[in-house]
Amino acid sequence: QVQLVDSGGGLVQPGGSLRLSCAASGVSGSAFKFYVIDWYRQAPGKQRELVAGMASLVSGGTTNYADSVKGRFTISRDNAKNTMYLQMNSLKPEDTAVYSCHAQSILNRAVEYWGQGTQVTVSS
């Protein structure tokens, strides 16, 4: 059973930085290469939105970002550790949300997993 455990959230002042981590267990490194990875966020009263995504490593690992975070957030993965990251810089109050990692197999789109979510609060 694959599990994603995300961590790294917290309270930060505007302009600050945080790095979120998401560790995948129950999947081998060779299999994890076939997963698309994403970070989503959901603020109170708002719909969940895709923040950043990375194609599977076997597909080139290209990245994409929501316009609201381009130039400030960076998604990355360490396949040796089965871990994905979201580096968030120049944080703004509007970045406050619960952030969740997501992984989906390109071999079977029905196979997808979610982290439990980690709260990020940007406030002075």
Side-chain angles (χ1 to χ4, degrees), residues 81-96:
K81 297 180 180 180
N82 279 6
T83 301
M84 64 182 86
Y85 304 96
L86 184 67
Q87 178 67 43
M88 305 185 294
N89 299 327
S90 302
L91 283 162
K92 304 175 180 180
E94 52 263 43
D95 294 319
T96 295

Side-chain angles (χ1 to χ4, degrees), residues 22-102:
C22 178
S25 61
V27 59
S28 67
S30 58
F32 200 52
K33 292 179 181 179
F34 289 89
Y35 281 76
V36 173
I37 61 171
D38 310 288
W39 285 95
Y40 285 79
R41 69 184 180 188
Q42 187 165 22
K46 294 187 177 181
Q47 288 190 330
R48 184 170 60 194
E49 63 170 334
L50 176 64
V51 175
M54 177 180 280
S56 67
L57 291 182
V58 296
S59 301
T62 54
T63 58
N64 61 280
Y65 299 92
D67 287 342
S68 58
V69 307
K70 279 181 182 176
R72 300 188 298 121
F73 289 12
T74 303
I75 186 172
S76 62
R77 65 197 293 170
D78 184 339
N79 219 64
K81 297 180 180 180
N82 279 6
T83 301
M84 64 182 86
Y85 304 96
L86 184 67
Q87 178 67 43
M88 305 185 294
N89 299 327
S90 302
L91 283 162
K92 304 175 180 180
E94 52 263 43
D95 294 319
T96 295
V98 175
Y99 286 71
S100 301
C101 56
H102 171 255

